[in-house]
Amino acid sequence: MTSPLTDTITSLLAASSPRLTPQQRLDSTLTELSIADNTSAQTAGHKEPIHKGELVEPLQRINTAMRPLGLEFEMSEQSSRIITRVIDRESGDIIRQIPAEEVILIAERLEEVQGRLISLEV
């Protein structure tokens, strides 16, 4: 089963024209993604929560398509957040990670103390 997002990304990567400027390619990609998102929202009807296991296979397909461009996506084990990395294609070094490792650690600590920071008792 493929998702409209991964199908759109794959088709755009395969059909990207070298005559388009980077801005034109970005605009075209965003337009295609918004169309695919609207289509999937209309056909989905009743939305059920997405489980972490359901995202593993789509993330692998996205990584396969985006790795040659120096992008990598991963799901955080503890928080189920998507981590995006920009990788140097020659050396394999991480250029940038979003969210940063420090932010992920802060978010995890905040989840641990959630409910202890604010007391609703008067």
Side-chain angles (χ1 to χ4, degrees), residues 7 16 22 25-26 28 33 37 47 54-55 58-59 68 72 75 88 95 103 105 107 111 115 117-118 121:
D7 291 343
S16 64
R25 280 186 285 186
L26 175 63
S28 173
L33 289 175
D37 186 42
K47 288 190 175 184
E54 295 174 25
L55 295 177
L59 274 176
E72 182 178 283
M75 184 170 300
D88 182 353
I95 297 172
V103 174
L105 291 173
E111 286 178 4
L117 295 176
I118 300 173
E121 294 179 15

Side-chain angles (χ1 to χ4, degrees), residues 37-102:
D37 186 42
N38 289 339
T39 304
S40 65
Q42 292 171 356
T43 57
H46 177 69
K47 288 190 175 184
E48 294 182 19
I50 297 174
H51 300 285
K52 184 178 176 180
E54 295 174 25
L55 295 177
V56 172
E57 194 261 333
L59 274 176
Q60 290 173 344
R61 287 191 314 221
I62 291 171
N63 279 336
T64 301
M66 300 304 282
R67 234 179 237 124
L69 302 174
L71 292 175
E72 182 178 283
F73 301 92
E74 177 185 327
M75 184 170 300
S76 172
E77 293 293 326
Q78 293 81 14
S79 63
S80 297
R81 287 184 173 86
I82 301 295
I83 300 170
T84 305
R85 291 188 185 98
V86 179
I87 308 287
D88 182 353
R89 291 184 281 177
E90 294 177 10
S91 67
D93 294 336
I94 298 174
I95 297 172
R96 180 156 174 109
Q97 177 177 312
I98 304 167
E101 196 67 38
E102 295 83 11

